Amino acid sequence: MYIPKLYKNENQEDIQNFIHQNGFGILVNQTDGKLWATHIPLLLEEKDRKQILVGHVSRENPQAESFKTNDEVLIVFSGVHTYISSSWYDHENVPTWNYLAVHVYGKVQLHSLEESIEALKRLVNKYEAKSEKPVRVEDLSKKTMLQARGIVSFEIEITAIEAKKKLSQNRDDKNYQTIISKLENSNDYQSIEVAKEMKKNRKL
């Protein structure tokens, strides 16, 4: 990912929190000689003092078969984003887009059936945590759990992470504050959330 120095995020705690909060990623690799992408939830975990991502795809997905011969993958995590109008500046310029994103590179290692079940438990527990009546994998019937044989579960050993935080850092305080005000006064959720990120990124 192209990241000008001004927009590069190297805060590891910040990056980890971003992945935890935006865990629905796009898994990309070479499959059957072409680029292939699958949208899936992934868990950021630690194993043997190394960071890994844990997830699964359908066994019918051609990407699953490709893992056996091509273990290198890219995962794209996207955060909030919004359009920035240059009409908000006190000088002439071009419009742009503010956004947060993290790219993770790694190598896939396939799970056994037992490891797949344990990974499913952790994934379900994460997203059921706020449910009024949380579903637990342990409580599902044997018949329902047969569906677990229809997935290919895996972990990805992370080899590199690139994080970009493009939040108008190239603007002076006056224009930076104007952008925040314009975003806060919109009715758009994404714009309001970007304004919050801009406030956190620069104390005015």
Side-chain angles (χ1 to χ4, degrees):
M1 173 167 54
Y2 170 61
I3 312 178
K5 187 175 181 180
L6 188 61
Y7 304 137
K8 191 171 186 178
N9 183 6
E10 297 181 289
N11 184 314
Q12 295 306 307
E13 183 179 356
D14 188 33
I15 294 170
Q16 288 180 29
N17 288 335
F18 180 89
I19 295 174
H20 285 309
Q21 295 166 12
N22 300 276
F24 192 68
I26 303 174
L27 177 68
V28 183
N29 78 341
Q30 282 277 353
T31 297
D32 295 334
K34 62 181 180 181
L35 288 174
W36 198 279
T38 301
H39 299 247
I40 55 171
L42 291 150
L43 293 175
L44 178 63
E45 299 181 341
E46 188 171 299
K47 181 179 180 182
D48 300 327
R49 297 184 179 181
K50 295 181 180 179
Q51 285 189 324
I52 62 170
L53 290 169
V54 178
H56 64 270
V57 296
S58 167
R59 193 170 293 278
E60 299 299 317
N61 186 335
Q63 205 168 23
E65 185 65 25
S66 75
F67 293 152
K68 297 175 182 178
T69 55
N70 179 19
D71 63 354
E72 293 188 329
V73 296
L74 161 67
I75 306 94
V76 178
F77 295 102
S78 296
V80 292
H81 59 90
T82 192
Y83 177 74
I84 304 297
S85 172
S86 57
S87 67
W88 302 341
Y89 306 153
D90 61 5
H91 59 279
E92 183 179 17
N93 212 301
V94 294
T96 190
W97 208 275
N98 277 4
Y99 63 94
L100 291 88
V102 170
H103 287 192
V104 176
Y105 300 85
K107 294 194 173 185
V108 174
Q109 182 176 347
L110 300 179
H111 281 162
S112 65
L113 179 59
E114 292 74 21
E115 289 172 324
S116 298
I117 300 299
E118 291 303 314
L120 282 174
K121 289 178 182 178
R122 298 194 299 276
L123 182 66
V124 171
N125 289 344
K126 175 182 178 179
Y127 290 103
E128 287 286 337
K130 296 181 180 179
S131 296
E132 189 174 326
K133 296 180 180 179
V135 172
R136 296 175 71 248
V137 170
E138 295 91 327
D139 299 333
L140 298 176
S141 67
K142 290 184 178 180
K143 180 180 178 181
T144 297
M145 286 307 298
L146 286 175
Q147 294 181 48
R149 297 183 180 277
I151 66 169
V152 172
S153 179
F154 53 82
E155 59 191 56
I156 299 167
E157 181 180 339
I158 296 174
T159 56
I161 297 179
E162 298 174 341
K164 188 170 185 177
K165 184 184 286 188
K166 185 175 179 295
L167 297 172
S168 298
Q169 293 97 319
N170 58 334
R171 301 298 164 202
D172 61 28
D173 286 350
K174 178 185 176 183
N175 285 285
Y176 194 87
Q177 183 59 64
T178 300
I179 295 169
I180 291 175
S181 297
K182 293 292 186 180
L183 295 176
E184 287 180 329
N185 290 326
S186 74
N187 293 319
D188 179 66
Y189 168 79
Q190 295 271 5
S191 297
I192 294 170
E193 290 301 308
V194 168
K196 291 179 182 177
E197 293 294 333
M198 290 180 67
K199 281 186 171 181
K200 288 192 293 183
N201 204 56
R202 184 187 297 183
K203 305 297 182 183
L204 297 176

